[in-house]
């Protein structure tokens, strides 16, 4: 596993405490990683050249910002054989990354939808533009986003966070940043995006 990757926690067993009721459960977004990489123009150029690691890294970076803004648990799934990597799971800045070799990403996601719904997860989204996969995920109980929908949601989240970063309400009456009261991971994500926006 890459340096800095946290131990993966299976979302079907650890992310939710459904015995406490749905008010405490977390909604999940399952992303068909290479399907998005093959659709999103800024990722597709790397994907088409076989620069899969670059495409993956850029997608995961976008998903990290998204999960901090929206509060969804994001799981991004890649075909391990296509990646040239063994089957393994990682967690990077709150985004779970799953590489599957014993099956394909579509089948893994469909199975996960069933498990999550059975475990009491209130809402499960699946992001893919594969029509057959969309129907299968919907039949298993998931809401479906096309890659275009996901990209739009990510861009909206970035705009939302950009507005927050420039909002005067980030400061208290004493002139202290309210971000000091934020979760450390969320604060780090805010700082990272702020630096990114400065370079754009």
């Amino acid at each position: 596993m890459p340096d800095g990757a946290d131990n993966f926690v299976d979302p079907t067993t650890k992310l939710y405490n459904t015995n406490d009721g749905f008010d405490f459960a977390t909604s999940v977004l399952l992303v068909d990683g290479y399907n998005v990489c093959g659709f999103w123009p800024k990722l597709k150029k790397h994907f088409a050249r076989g620069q899969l690691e670059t495409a993956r890294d850029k997608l995961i970076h976008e998903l990290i910002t998204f999960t901090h803004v929206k509060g969804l648990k994001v799981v991004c799934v890649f075909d391990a054989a296509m990646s040239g990597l063994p089957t393994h799971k990682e967690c990077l800045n709150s985004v779970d990354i799953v590489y599957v070799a014993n099956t394909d990403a579509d089948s893994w996601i469909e199975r996960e939808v069933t498990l999550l719904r059975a475990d009491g997860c209130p809402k499960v989204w699946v992001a893919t533009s594969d029509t057959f996969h969309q129907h299968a995920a919907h039949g298993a109980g998931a809401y479906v986003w096309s890659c275009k929908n996901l990209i739009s949601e990510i861009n909206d989240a970035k705009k939302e966070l950009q507005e927050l970063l420039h909002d005067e309400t980030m400061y208290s009456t004493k002139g202290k940043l309210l971000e000091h009261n934020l979760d450390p991971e969320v604060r780090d994500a805010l700082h990272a995006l702020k630096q990114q926006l400065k370079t754009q």
Side-chain angles (χ1 to χ4, degrees), residues 7-114:
N7 291 328
F8 175 83
V9 179
D10 189 335
T12 63
T13 59
K14 297 295 184 181
L15 292 178
Y16 321 107
N17 190 347
T18 53
N19 290 329
D20 287 340
F22 290 147
D23 289 343
F24 298 96
T26 304
S27 298
V28 181
L29 169 64
L30 301 170
V31 179
D32 186 343
Y34 283 136
N35 191 263
V36 178
C37 288
F39 179 88
W40 201 342
K42 70 178 182 180
L43 306 181
K44 186 176 182 179
K45 61 184 180 181
H46 301 292
F47 185 74
R49 295 171 187 162
Q51 299 169 341
L52 301 185
E53 183 177 3
T54 300
R56 290 196 306 268
D57 288 347
K58 289 182 177 294
L59 173 59
I60 292 165
H61 177 77
E62 297 286 351
L63 293 174
I64 288 170
T65 299
F66 181 76
T67 190
H68 284 301
V69 174
K70 295 299 185 180
L72 288 173
K73 181 60 192 179
V74 177
V75 182
C76 190
V77 187
F78 296 101
D79 290 310
M82 188 175 178
S83 308
L85 297 168
T87 298
H88 69 285
K89 303 172 183 179
E90 308 168 4
C91 182
L92 192 62
N93 291 331
S94 298
V95 172
D96 289 347
I97 308 153
V98 180
Y99 296 88
V100 291
N102 56 333
T103 184
D104 56 36
D106 292 354
S107 298
W108 190 96
I109 289 173
E110 289 162 21
R111 174 180 173 274
E112 197 74 1
V113 170
T114 302

Side-chain angles (χ1 to χ4, degrees), residues 98-199:
V98 180
Y99 296 88
V100 291
N102 56 333
T103 184
D104 56 36
D106 292 354
S107 298
W108 190 96
I109 289 173
E110 289 162 21
R111 174 180 173 274
E112 197 74 1
V113 170
T114 302
L115 292 172
L116 288 168
R117 296 296 291 143
D119 191 49
C121 183
K123 290 184 180 179
V124 182
W125 282 269
V126 170
T128 180
S129 284
D130 183 306
T131 304
F132 180 81
H133 185 28
Q134 287 178 336
H135 286 299
H138 179 70
Y143 296 91
V144 176
W145 281 345
S146 67
C147 294
K148 183 177 181 180
N149 292 145
L150 175 64
I151 294 166
S152 177
E153 291 288 340
I154 289 174
N155 287 335
D156 286 347
K158 290 168 70 175
K159 289 177 183 178
E160 183 180 332
L161 188 50
Q162 185 174 17
E163 290 173 0
L164 176 63
L165 288 168
H166 292 88
D167 194 333
E168 290 183 356
T169 60
M170 286 283 288
Y171 296 87
S172 69
T173 54
K174 295 181 179 179
K176 294 182 179 180
L177 276 172
L178 296 182
E179 67 177 55
H180 292 313
N181 296 321
L182 296 174
D183 181 271
E185 286 192 350
V186 176
R187 186 170 61 248
D188 290 345
L190 288 170
H191 282 305
L193 184 59
K194 188 173 183 178
Q195 293 303 315
Q196 178 186 344
L197 293 172
K198 285 181 179 179
T199 62

